[in-house]
């Protein structure tokens, strides 16, 4: 198993709409989606598209949001995770475990904000960077 293209960089923020405006005003990155809520994932999301990938702006949604503590430590927000595409998310999950990394949650891939299955690898096993792996859109059975 080998990771593929960088699909998005996750950026946690207290306010996705304000953050999207910053990317538009400061960097001219005006190609942004409307904010979309994912209650079962505990985040509100705006995708800002740039030529080779997306910035995934994420705001906590609900008391159990997985990014609450991150924002307590980083109240203005900050880089949260990187997401790489893989050709087979189940094979990738198995490879992470075989290579000694902790796959978060139950380890079962679940549908993320792009509508394809994802997993997360614990930052303790990846040099302090939270890494998300996602089934490459249009590839593999999922
Ligand atoms: C899936 C929808 C969407 C998509 O792309 O489709 C998204 O990407 S949504 C993104 C938000 N969802 C997640 O991040 C799910 C997976 N994340 C988690 O389960 C937690 O965030 C977790 C376990 C990584 C951290 O949880 P929490 O902060 O509550 O726990 P701790 O404070 O105990 O943290 C443990 C340890 O990890 C360090 N940490 C936490 N977050 C990060 C981070 N983003 N990057 C790097 N390191 C991180 C934290 O500082 C602790 O380190 P320690 O040395 O033990 O103090
Ligand atoms: Co993500």
């Amino acid at each position: 198993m080998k990771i593929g293209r960088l699909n998005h960089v996750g950026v946690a923020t207290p306010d996705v709409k304000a953050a999207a405006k910053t990317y538009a005003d400061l960097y001219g990155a005006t190609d942004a989606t409307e904010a979309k809520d994912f209650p079962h994932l505990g985040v509100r999301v705006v995708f800002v598209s740039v030529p080779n990938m997306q910035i995934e702006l994420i705001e906590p949604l609900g008391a159990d949001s997985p990014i609450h503590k991150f924002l307590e430590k980083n109240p203005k927000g900050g880089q949260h995770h990187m997401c790489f595409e893989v050709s087979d998310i189940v094979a990738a999950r198995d490879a992470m475990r075989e290579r000694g990394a902790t796959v978060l949650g139950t380890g079962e891939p679940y549908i993320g904000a792009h509508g394809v299955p994802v997993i997360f690898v614990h930052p303790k096993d990846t040099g302090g960077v939270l890494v998300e792996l996602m089934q490459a859109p249009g590839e593999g059975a999922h």
Side-chain angles (χ1 to χ4, degrees):
M1 191 292 290
K2 184 175 158 189
I3 55 175
R5 60 189 286 274
L6 176 67
N7 178 277
H8 63 268
V9 172
V11 172
T13 172
D15 182 336
V16 287
K17 292 178 185 171
K21 188 174 183 311
T22 298
Y23 278 82
D25 295 349
L26 206 50
Y27 308 118
T30 55
D31 182 0
T33 63
E34 292 299 316
K36 185 171 178 186
D37 288 359
F38 294 89
H40 63 297
L41 299 171
V43 289
R44 170 170 296 154
V45 179
V46 165
F47 285 107
V48 176
S49 291
V50 293
N52 62 332
M53 58 119 190
Q54 290 180 309
I55 305 289
E56 180 184 72
L57 298 171
I58 49 178
E59 175 184 329
L61 198 59
D64 299 330
S65 173
I67 63 172
H68 254 309
K69 276 176 84 173
F70 181 92
L71 278 171
E72 280 172 1
K73 293 177 187 172
N74 310 277
K76 289 191 172 61
Q79 263 181 250
H80 183 262
H81 65 277
M82 294 193 292
C83 181
F84 296 97
E85 293 177 5
V86 292
S87 57
D88 179 333
I89 191 69
V90 174
R93 187 272 319 271
D94 294 345
M96 290 302 99
R97 287 175 164 168
E98 285 154 18
R99 299 172 188 177
T102 302
V103 178
L104 288 164
T106 64
E108 279 312 301
Y110 57 93
I111 301 300
H114 283 87
V116 293
V118 304
I119 61 168
F120 284 85
V121 185
H122 202 291
K124 69 183 172 61
D125 300 312
T126 64
V129 177
L130 179 61
V131 169
E132 176 183 2
L133 301 179
M134 69 182 269
Q135 177 69 46
E139 285 186 40
H142 54 267

Coordinates of all heavy atoms in Angstrom, one line a residue, residues 8 10 56 58 81 83 120 132, ligand 2:
H8 N -6.6 16.9 0.6 CA -6.9 18.1 1.2 C -6.0 18.3 2.5 O -5.5 17.3 3.0 CB -8.4 18.3 1.6 CG -8.9 17.3 2.6 ND1 -9.5 16.1 2.2 CD2 -9.0 17.3 3.9 CE1 -10.0 15.5 3.2 NE2 -9.6 16.2 4.3
G10 N -6.6 19.7 6.2 CA -7.7 20.1 7.1 C -7.2 21.3 8.0 O -6.1 21.2 8.6
E56 N -9.7 22.1 3.6 CA -10.9 21.7 4.3 C -11.0 22.5 5.6 O -10.3 22.2 6.6 CB -10.9 20.2 4.6 CG -12.1 19.7 5.2 CD -12.0 18.2 5.6 OE1 -11.3 17.9 6.5 OE2 -12.7 17.4 4.9
I58 N -12.7 23.3 8.9 CA -13.6 22.5 9.8 C -13.8 23.3 11.1 O -12.9 23.8 11.7 CB -13.0 21.1 10.1 CG1 -11.6 21.2 10.5 CG2 -13.2 20.2 8.9 CD1 -11.0 19.8 10.9
H81 N -5.0 18.4 9.9 CA -4.7 17.1 9.4 C -4.4 17.2 7.9 O -4.6 18.3 7.3 CB -5.8 16.1 9.6 CG -7.1 16.4 8.9 ND1 -8.0 17.2 9.4 CD2 -7.5 15.9 7.7 CE1 -9.1 17.3 8.6 NE2 -8.8 16.5 7.5
C83 N -4.9 14.9 4.3 CA -5.6 13.7 3.8 C -5.0 13.3 2.5 O -5.0 14.1 1.5 CB -7.1 14.1 3.6 SG -8.0 12.6 3.0
F120 N -8.5 7.5 10.0 CA -7.5 8.5 10.6 C -6.5 7.7 11.3 O -6.8 6.7 12.0 CB -8.2 9.5 11.6 CG -9.0 10.5 10.9 CD1 -10.3 10.3 10.5 CD2 -8.4 11.8 10.6 CE1 -11.0 11.3 9.9 CE2 -9.1 12.8 10.0 CZ -10.4 12.5 9.6
E132 N -5.2 11.6 7.6 CA -6.5 11.0 7.2 C -6.2 10.3 5.8 O -5.4 10.8 5.0 CB -7.5 12.0 7.0 CG -8.9 11.5 6.4 CD -9.9 12.7 6.2 OE1 -9.5 13.8 6.4 OE2 -11.0 12.4 5.7
Ligands
LIG2 CO1 -10.4 15.7 6.3

